[in-house]
Amino acid sequence: MLILIAGPYRSGTNDDTNLIAQNMQQMEEAALAVYRLGHTPICGEWIALPLIHMAGSTQLGDAVFNEIFHPVA
C-alpha cells in the first residue's frame, strides 16, 4: 500500500531551517516505520522540493515555492 506521510514542514518554525529539518526528520522517521511494516511511504516534500529547486526558487515562500509546494506536497 502506498501511504502518504504528512506533517508540518514550515508551520511553527518561523522559517528556521534547523526546525524545518527537524520536522522533515520526524516525517522521514515515520516513513521508515511505515516501510518496515511492508508499505511504500511517500512524503509530498520528496516530490515538491526537487521541483521547486528546478524551477528556480531562491528562498522559502518566494513565488516559485508558493506555486509548487502546497499543490504538490
Side-chain angles (χ1 to χ4, degrees):
M1 184 181 305
L2 181 66
I3 297 178
L4 175 64
I5 307 299
Y9 181 71
R10 290 172 65 192
S11 296
T13 67
N14 200 31
D15 288 343
D16 179 315
T17 55
N18 291 324
L19 295 176
I20 291 170
Q22 288 175 16
N23 285 345
M24 200 64 224
Q25 180 175 337
Q26 289 176 352
M27 285 186 278
E28 290 175 342
E29 288 170 356
L32 179 57
V34 165
Y35 176 79
R36 288 184 171 156
L37 291 171
H39 305 291
T40 303
I42 187 77
C43 292
E45 290 79 3
W46 294 343
I47 299 168
L49 294 174
L51 292 174
I52 289 165
H53 174 76
M54 287 301 300
S57 177
T58 58
Q59 67 182 32
L60 286 171
D62 68 10
V64 172
F65 183 96
N66 290 334
E67 171 196 6
I68 297 170
F69 187 80
H70 289 290
V72 173

